[in-house]
Amino acid sequence: MGLEEANVLAERLRKEMVARQLEPRRIRDERVLAAFREVPRHLFAPGAGLSEAYADHPLPIGEGQTISQPYMVALMTQCLGLTGEEKVLEIGTGSGYQAAILSRLAAEVYTVERVASLAERTGELFRRLGYENISVRVGDGTLGWPEFAPFDAIIVTAGSPGVPPPLVEQLAEGGKLVIPAGSGYSQRLLVLERRGEKIIQRDEGGCVFVPLIGEYGWKQKR
Ligand code: SAM
């Protein structure tokens, strides 16, 4: 298949992904749906065939890690309620797909990954695609990224035993934090919102993520 033919097919697969996997579920934010029609997910899923990259499930990305199911990426993104002005922090860069989606919907994206080889590969892909509003750092994301705090939105894309206190501290007034929290095997998707000194919390349902490993996450690989 030639490059142009592949691009046409990928565009069709993206439209189908939105129409079949996102719109019939709870994804209604038009800006989120537009970002999913735009970002070339297949470039973030190394080794997967074109159709596989847009299928309704997570995919391996190397180093024992995964790129999440499109619906889960969309749900978490929608929960942040982005308008285009925000500074967003992501914990768990992985393939970079979630950060790429966020970069279309917010002003600046800061993303932290603990596995250096993934962060390097992903940083290179962002440069190649011209996604200039994303900064990648290697480190323990459970500590946040204090130099750039506060953040209007924080998204954690690995399963945590609880909510890391540094992330709550780095959340701006009115900011939202989305995090899968629970056991090492299954979690609840929690959405926290800062209202003055208060933190309001809601539960968006069950989910399954690879573990968040770090000072305020799991202590070792499970
Ligand atoms: N957001 C990613 C994407 O769009 O492909 C999916 C992330 S994958 C489900 C979870 C990622 O979190 C893995 O790449 C893993 O190495 C990373 N991770 C786990 N613990 C971390 C920590 N404390 N700080 C930063 N990254 C972490």
Side-chain angles (χ1 to χ4, degrees):
M1 195 188 307
L3 189 57
E4 198 161 322
E5 216 181 325
N7 284 339
V8 171
L9 175 57
E11 195 176 339
R12 182 165 67 73
L13 290 167
R14 281 197 292 281
K15 284 187 184 151
E16 284 174 9
M17 169 182 73
V18 168
R20 293 182 187 160
Q21 301 174 37
L22 308 186
E23 285 175 328
R25 293 176 175 150
R26 290 184 285 164
I27 312 304
R28 307 225 166 76
D29 183 329
E30 272 308 323
R31 295 181 71 243
V32 172
L33 296 171
F36 274 79
R37 288 189 200 100
E38 178 192 333
V39 175
R41 181 172 163 95
H42 60 287
L43 300 183
F44 293 85
L50 209 46
S51 304
E52 188 67 0
Y54 292 96
D56 194 11
H57 52 71
L59 291 165
I61 56 169
E63 306 285 353
Q65 303 302 330
T66 53
I67 173 173
S68 303
Q69 175 196 28
Y71 167 66
M72 187 50 65
V73 178
L75 176 62
M76 293 173 83
T77 307
Q78 180 169 265
C79 286
L80 296 176
L82 300 172
T83 63
E85 304 297 315
E86 296 84 358
K87 183 162 50 154
V88 183
L89 174 67
E90 181 198 25
I91 309 307
T93 316
S95 73
Y97 181 66
Q98 172 75 75
I101 292 284
L102 293 168
S103 78
R104 310 295 85 193
L105 299 167
E108 294 165 55
V109 179
Y110 295 84
T111 180
V112 185
E113 171 57 55
R114 67 181 281 276
V115 179
S117 60
L118 288 178
E120 279 156 23
R121 185 175 80 194
T122 301
E124 182 51 42
L125 182 57
F126 292 150
R127 276 189 287 281
R128 189 150 67 82
L129 294 174
Y131 290 168
E132 287 171 0
N133 61 342
I134 310 177
S135 307
V136 187
R137 186 170 79 90
V138 178
D140 176 4
T142 69
L143 304 172
W145 196 334
E147 293 85 344
F148 292 103
F151 297 96
D152 305 301
I154 300 178
I155 177 168
V156 181
T157 63
S160 179
V163 182
L167 300 185
V168 179
E169 281 155 23
Q170 291 172 32
L171 196 58
E173 173 58 29
K176 291 194 179 123
L177 163 58
V178 178
I179 181 167
S183 76
Y185 304 101
S186 73
Q187 304 87 35
R188 307 296 301 179
L189 188 62
L190 304 182
V191 183
L192 283 69
E193 185 173 345
R194 176 183 290 288
R195 299 224 191 114
E197 289 306 298
K198 276 200 193 148
I199 300 290
I200 318 278
Q201 183 177 310
R202 69 171 201 270
D203 182 329
E204 282 284 333
C207 54
V208 179
F209 277 82
V210 294
L212 181 76
I213 298 162
E215 189 168 334
Y216 294 96
W218 298 101
K219 291 292 174 259
Q220 57 190 12
K221 206 158 186 166
R222 294 158 66 94

